[in-house]
Amino acid sequence: MNVLLFGATGMVGQGVLRECLQGVDVELVQAIGRTPTGQRHPKLRDVVHADLFNYAGVTAQLEDFDACFFCVGVTSSRVSEPDYTRLTYDMTLAAAKALAALNPRMVFVYVSGAGADSSETSATMWERVRGRTENALLALPFRGVYIFRPGMIQPLDGIKSKTTAYRIFYSLMKPVLPLLRAAMPAHVLTTRQVGQAMLAAVRNGARKRVLESADIAALGRAATPP
């Protein structure tokens, strides 16, 4: 399969990229973002694109992909609702709508978050915006759309978050996270599990279109290597 990856330099995106590059049935991983990944691999192609709200100039580079893994995420801390909407809903839908027109047979996997509100009525701003984004994606004419709602994720393989506060949090939690994952394997995921589950969703589909942490863990466990 050919995979298009957004957010490859983030914590989740780094994990997904690693699993894609190791997938024997993955022929190409094209990472698209404002900055290059900084990695080199025979399967990896970096596309630096400054305007993630407009893809008119790069349509030829977005064709013939089997899957899109959209791992771009911003914190809602100290961000207004209009700004968060622009960086979450508007940015995601700009990419998704362009891809739906070019790759109708594509499977689109979106990394949302535990607590996102599909009813769009939550009193918490980010939950409403994420839910609205999910609903809009599910209405697009892709072959398949899957919403991943992970909660806590343990970074493995030397992966680190770009966000300072998250790096500090994961550094402090490093001794505890393996214990939490052992005690609650359905609620504490790893970057490997998320990437493996995404690939499984493309290969074999999933029973649900909106997957919570436990569903993601189960999908990854049930994944059959190609």
Side-chain angles (χ1 to χ4, degrees):
M1 69 177 83
N2 293 335
V3 174
L4 189 63
L5 176 59
F6 288 78
T9 60
M11 189 185 82
V12 174
Q14 290 176 60
V16 174
L17 175 58
R18 180 183 183 276
E19 297 307 313
C20 286
L21 294 177
Q22 292 189 345
V24 297
D25 59 340
V26 178
E27 295 182 357
L28 169 68
V29 184
Q30 179 168 291
I32 182 166
R34 294 191 179 104
T35 58
T37 62
Q39 298 188 40
R40 295 196 175 200
H41 192 281
K43 294 183 182 181
L44 177 61
R45 179 195 298 163
D46 265 313
V47 173
V48 177
H49 183 60
D51 187 357
L52 297 181
F53 296 89
N54 188 333
Y55 296 90
V58 292
T59 53
Q61 294 172 279
L62 302 178
E63 296 178 329
D64 300 321
F65 284 91
D66 304 292
C68 175
F69 299 148
F70 200 92
C71 307
V72 179
V74 296
T75 177
S76 61
S77 177
R78 296 189 294 277
V79 178
S80 68
E81 184 162 350
D83 286 344
Y84 188 76
T85 299
R86 180 173 182 273
L87 294 172
T88 300
Y89 180 91
D90 295 345
M91 182 186 291
T92 305
L93 267 295
K97 287 180 179 179
L99 292 173
L102 295 168
N103 304 282
R105 299 299 299 166
M106 169 183 280
V107 173
F108 192 99
V109 182
Y110 174 63
V111 179
S112 184
D117 178 30
S118 298
S119 74
E120 305 179 34
T121 61
S122 172
T124 303
M125 178 271 287
W126 78 264
E127 294 178 357
R128 291 195 308 273
V129 176
R130 284 285 192 174
R132 180 184 170 210
T133 305
E134 294 176 358
N135 291 338
L137 290 173
L138 290 167
L140 292 178
F142 289 108
R143 174 166 65 93
V145 176
Y146 296 103
I147 308 297
F148 277 34
R149 290 180 175 176
M152 190 174 291
I153 301 175
Q154 178 187 1
L156 301 178
D157 307 303
I159 291 170
K160 295 181 180 180
S161 173
K162 294 195 301 181
T163 305
T164 302
Y166 290 166
R167 284 201 305 272
I168 294 171
F169 169 80
Y170 282 112
S171 177
L172 294 173
M173 292 292 292
K174 187 174 182 179
V176 179
L177 279 175
L179 301 176
L180 287 176
R181 190 158 61 87
M184 300 183 294
H187 300 287
V188 181
L189 302 172
T190 68
T191 46
R192 289 178 195 166
Q193 284 179 301
V194 175
Q196 290 166 2
M198 285 189 177
L199 289 167
V202 179
R203 291 171 181 143
N204 305 310
R207 294 182 179 180
K208 299 179 179 179
R209 301 185 75 190
V210 178
L211 295 91
E212 307 290 348
S213 286
D215 304 311
I216 297 168
L219 183 61
R221 285 196 303 271
T224 302

